[in-house]
Amino acid sequence: MMSTAAPDPVELLAWYAEMGVTEALDETPHNHFMEAPQPAAVRPAPPQLVRATAAAAARQALPATATAPDDAALTARTMAQQAMTLDALKEALAQFEGCALKATAKNLVFSDGNPAARLMLVGEAPGADEDRIGLPFVGRSGQLLDRMLAAIGLNRKEHVYIANLLPWRPPGNRTPTPQEVAICLPFIQRQIQLANPDILVCIGAPSAQGLLGLTGILASRGKWLEYDTGTRRIRAMATLHPAYLLRQPLQKRLAWRDLRALKAALDAKT
């Protein structure tokens, strides 16, 4: 004979949860199969009003610290071109609100090294250590970069000026999105123009693609190209990122070839 005892409430709730019933909608049941009352006829809005309303809603959906990507890139270009010195450019970046990465980063990471150096290195974006300290390449990859430079007789305080494609850290050290790169690109382009180095080295795939238009860092690294600063054309090269070399130590042999080529180019200009 089947038991008619009421189920234990705790066991019943556990069974509901297991079946996926996790929300109570109302205390009393409703018959949702009954025909719902038909709303009164509403005259459709003119197409022009619909489009205007949709556009306004899209603008309101953007974060308070961001604008539409095209507008942000245009603002970045204007602010960058108005900066006549590197210090003014850094101040312009500090005031720029068009990139959402600024809201999640601790510090603006602008540059390190000697602005008057003949060699400029441009990495990808700050990592956790760089974001905390406010300088590029200060973590494990930065320590490896310093050793790589020392191997060809260079140090960052005298011989190198260092910056990043993006001045703010992407959350979780993820790769910057194409939209983020496009918004920040005018600033790094202006930074290169104001620093006016003889040689530009793009470190890692995002920097090589953003500044030199290269894809496939392993295939494109170590090849001399020309970069137009806007005032003159300079020699440029892409090389592997130290963070990649820490994960793939066998590839250091390729980086060493790039360093030797860089050293030869610097010596030829001496």
Side-chain angles (χ1 to χ4, degrees), residues 49-72:
L49 179 58
V50 173
R51 287 193 293 268
T53 303
R59 286 192 297 269
Q60 292 176 357
L62 290 171
T65 57
T67 57
D70 291 344
D71 293 341

Side-chain angles (χ1 to χ4, degrees), residues 50-215:
V50 173
R51 287 193 293 268
T53 303
R59 286 192 297 269
Q60 292 176 357
L62 290 171
T65 57
T67 57
D70 291 344
D71 293 341
L74 180 60
T75 301
R77 191 174 303 113
T78 301
M79 294 177 68
Q81 289 303 316
Q82 289 175 346
M84 295 294 108
T85 65
L86 289 170
D87 287 339
L89 184 65
K90 182 177 180 180
E91 181 61 28
L93 264 170
Q95 297 176 2
F96 182 63
E97 300 293 338
C99 182
L101 292 178
K102 182 179 181 180
T104 57
K106 290 183 175 67
N107 283 301
L108 167 69
V109 180
F110 185 68
S111 67
D112 194 17
N114 180 9
R118 296 174 52 221
L119 172 62
M120 183 170 180
L121 308 180
V122 178
E124 173 184 332
D129 292 321
E130 290 77 12
D131 184 39
R132 177 173 51 84
I133 297 174
L135 294 172
F137 285 98
V138 294
R140 288 185 62 217
S141 61
Q143 294 166 13
L144 176 56
L145 177 63
D146 288 343
R147 294 196 296 271
M148 292 166 63
L149 293 172
I152 57 172
L154 304 179
N155 66 75
R156 71 166 69 198
K157 290 185 178 181
E158 299 177 65
H159 308 112
V160 183
Y161 183 57
I162 307 176
N164 275 316
L165 192 65
L166 273 70
W168 295 290
R169 179 197 181 197
N173 291 355
R174 63 166 172 76
T175 301
T177 67
Q179 178 178 313
E180 291 163 349
V181 172
I183 289 173
C184 295
L185 193 59
F187 287 108
I188 186 59
Q189 290 173 330
R190 182 61 170 161
Q191 194 170 357
I192 296 170
Q193 186 179 58
L194 291 171
N196 194 29
D198 291 331
I199 296 176
L200 172 69
V201 175
C202 294
I203 302 178
S207 177
Q209 183 171 5
L211 291 173
L212 302 179
L214 299 175
T215 57

Side-chain angles (χ1 to χ4, degrees), residues 191-244:
Q191 194 170 357
I192 296 170
Q193 186 179 58
L194 291 171
N196 194 29
D198 291 331
I199 296 176
L200 172 69
V201 175
C202 294
I203 302 178
S207 177
Q209 183 171 5
L211 291 173
L212 302 179
L214 299 175
T215 57
I217 187 65
L218 286 174
S220 58
R221 48 138 291 276
K223 298 177 181 177
W224 286 111
L225 304 168
E226 284 193 334
Y227 176 83
D228 189 350
T229 68
T231 57
R232 67 187 181 118
R233 302 181 75 86
I234 62 175
R235 299 189 76 182
M237 175 200 292
T239 192
L240 302 175
H241 199 287
Y244 172 77

